[in-house]
Amino acid sequence: MTLDSMRAPMPFSASGPSVATRWERWKRGLESYLLALNVNQSNRKRAILLHVGGEELQDIVDGLKDPGDNYEKTIDALNKHFSPTKNIIFECHMFQQIEQNKEESIDAFASRLRQAAKSCEFGELIDRMIAVQIVNRCQSAALRKRFLREESLTLDSILQIGRAHEAGELRSKQYVNTGCPQENDTSVNVVKTKSFVKKQQRKFFSSKMEQKRQFKCGRCGNNDHSSNHCTRARDKECHYCHKIGHFENVCLSKRREKKEISNVSEAQISNIFNVNTDELPTITIQLKDEKIPVLIDSGAAVNLMGVKLWKRFEANTKLLKTEKKIFSFGA
């Protein structure tokens, strides 16, 4: 494997705080880089160290009293150079400021704390200090209360409780968002009550009704297609307006007339009653050249004439428009 095929570590910068910690981290990256390249010669490893480290690290090596002529001696000299700048009190202070990120798992938080604890020289107390920091700086207040209820806590028990809490929070979110756990979650069994089933059924039928309302045909009135795809009423005649292309139940002319009737006052409405003309007094009158039987003083608000009779006088008689609405008895 060549140098060009591997991504080298970024040049090292000795500026800023925590130089010793950053030097140890950068040195680990360099050693992994050399191992991946399978570089074993000491002088070649030293050349790569100076090349990858950048100009600032090269100036530091040149300024050392005894920089060494191979990789091991140069690394030892750099370790001694950066170690005096290490402030244990400051490193411990920075360790105590570390908080769990919002979406960070309990294991990732513990791993980040362990990495930072290496520069604090906690020794055998490292697990206890990590455990204390997790309790103090975890994101969940409910999880912190759970920790404090335990009589004896270790880092392992804290991680175990934290994992169980995170799994429960995840399942709770899935239940709230979907009404039940997701299909790929086989670790939870949900008992569906009658009220839960009825609620799901109402949601299902309401969605179906909404779909039907969206696709109601304006030609035949059915809900399984739109007006553009209707073949049932495309060539049919409406029994109300006698136009082609729709049925009477969706006739717009009929709807408009019903709306107009609803706005008519009571004074403009008259009812027609069915009467038996054989038992009522009638006389015969002559209208133009026609003799017509009529009822004497019927008491009706209006008088009607049949269509056939009207057509006899239509040529010489003008028909006037009226706002009065006529209804048969019982209509």
Side-chain angles (χ1 to χ4, degrees):
M1 190 175 293
T2 62
L3 289 172
D4 296 335
S5 62
M6 286 291 296
R7 182 178 179 181
M10 297 294 293
F12 179 74
S13 175
S15 304
S18 304
V19 179
T21 302
R22 290 187 288 107
W23 164 249
E24 292 295 331
R25 186 182 299 114
W26 187 87
K27 187 173 62 174
R28 286 196 301 271
L30 175 66
E31 291 174 353
S32 299
Y33 179 66
L34 295 174
L35 181 63
L37 293 176
N38 196 22
V39 178
N40 298 317
Q41 297 88 350
S42 181
N43 57 348
R44 190 181 177 195
K45 291 169 66 175
R46 185 179 187 276
I48 295 175
L49 164 66
L50 297 176
H51 174 73
V52 174
E55 295 181 356
E56 186 175 356
L57 186 63
Q58 294 173 12
D59 293 340
I60 292 174
V61 172
D62 292 340
L64 294 176
K65 184 177 180 180
D66 184 13
D69 56 357
N70 57 36
Y71 176 77
E72 289 76 12
K73 291 182 179 180
T74 303
I75 288 293
D76 290 339
L78 288 171
N79 289 338
K80 293 177 182 179
H81 174 77
F82 291 123
S83 59
T85 61
K86 184 176 181 180
N87 189 326
I88 301 299
I89 301 299
F90 177 77
E91 297 294 340
C92 292
H93 170 73
M94 295 303 296
F95 175 83
Q96 293 175 352
Q97 306 307 311
I98 299 176
E99 297 181 352
Q100 184 182 17
N101 296 326
K102 188 174 182 180
E103 300 297 333
E104 188 177 29
S105 66
I106 194 75
D107 288 305
F109 184 36
S111 177
R112 190 157 57 92
L113 288 172
R114 184 174 294 279
Q115 187 66 34
K118 291 181 178 180
S119 59
C120 298
E121 298 184 1
F122 289 137
E124 296 180 355
L125 297 177
I126 184 170
D127 285 355
R128 179 178 297 181
M129 298 304 297
I130 293 174
V132 171
Q133 193 66 14
I134 291 176
V135 174
N136 290 338
R137 297 292 185 171
C138 64
Q139 280 281 334
S140 173
L143 181 58
R144 185 178 297 107
K145 291 180 180 179
R146 172 69 187 281
F147 288 148
L148 297 177
R149 284 199 300 266
E150 299 293 328
E151 294 183 359
S152 59
L153 278 176
T154 63
L155 180 58
D156 291 338
S157 62
I158 284 177
L159 294 178
Q160 185 176 1
I161 294 172
R163 295 185 193 111
H165 176 80
E166 290 173 351
E169 288 293 315
L170 179 61
R171 295 187 185 110
S172 177
K173 289 180 181 179
Q174 292 174 353
Y175 191 90
V176 170
N177 293 336
T178 63
C180 59
Q182 295 181 356
E183 294 180 357
N184 58 358
D185 188 358
T186 58
S187 59
V188 179
N189 295 323
V190 178
V191 178
K192 296 183 179 180
T193 61
K194 290 183 179 180
S195 60
F196 176 82
V197 174
K198 289 182 179 179
K199 184 177 180 181
Q200 297 300 316
Q201 289 176 346
R202 285 195 297 269
K203 287 184 179 179
F204 174 78
F205 288 116
S206 62
S207 62
K208 289 295 183 182
M209 292 300 295
E210 183 64 25
Q211 292 178 1
K212 288 184 177 181
R213 284 193 292 269
Q214 292 176 355
F215 294 99
K216 185 175 182 179
C217 177
R219 294 181 180 273
C220 67
N222 288 347
N223 299 315
D224 56 352
H225 61 272
S226 62
S227 301
N228 295 332
H229 299 86
C230 181
T231 58
R232 300 174 183 174
R234 186 177 297 276
D235 300 325
K236 299 297 188 294
E237 179 183 354
C238 173
H239 296 312
Y240 186 83
C241 68
H242 303 290
K243 293 181 180 179
I244 304 299
H246 64 272
F247 291 152
E248 181 180 354
N249 62 324
V250 292
C251 181
L252 296 179
S253 300
K254 186 175 182 180
R255 293 181 185 177
R256 283 194 293 267
E257 184 167 336
K258 285 184 177 180
K259 185 176 181 180
E260 292 175 358
I261 292 174
S262 63
N263 296 327
V264 176
S265 63
E266 293 184 2
Q268 295 176 301
I269 299 177
S270 299
N271 294 316
I272 301 175
F273 297 88
N274 185 21
V275 296
N276 188 349
T277 56
D278 295 337
E279 300 177 359
L280 295 176
T282 61
I283 61 172
T284 301
I285 64 172
Q286 184 170 347
L287 184 60
K288 292 189 177 181
D289 297 329
E290 296 286 339
K291 292 183 178 181
I292 305 170
V294 297
L295 180 65
I296 300 175
D297 190 18
S298 64
V302 293
N303 294 311
L304 302 181
M305 179 181 294
V307 176
K308 293 182 179 180
L309 182 59
W310 160 253
K311 288 184 178 180
R312 300 179 188 177
F313 310 104
E314 185 178 3
N316 300 320
T317 306
K318 184 178 180 181
L319 187 64
L320 301 178
K321 185 177 180 181
T322 179
E323 297 294 332
K324 188 176 289 294
K325 303 298 179 181
I326 310 300
F327 296 92
S328 62
F329 178 71

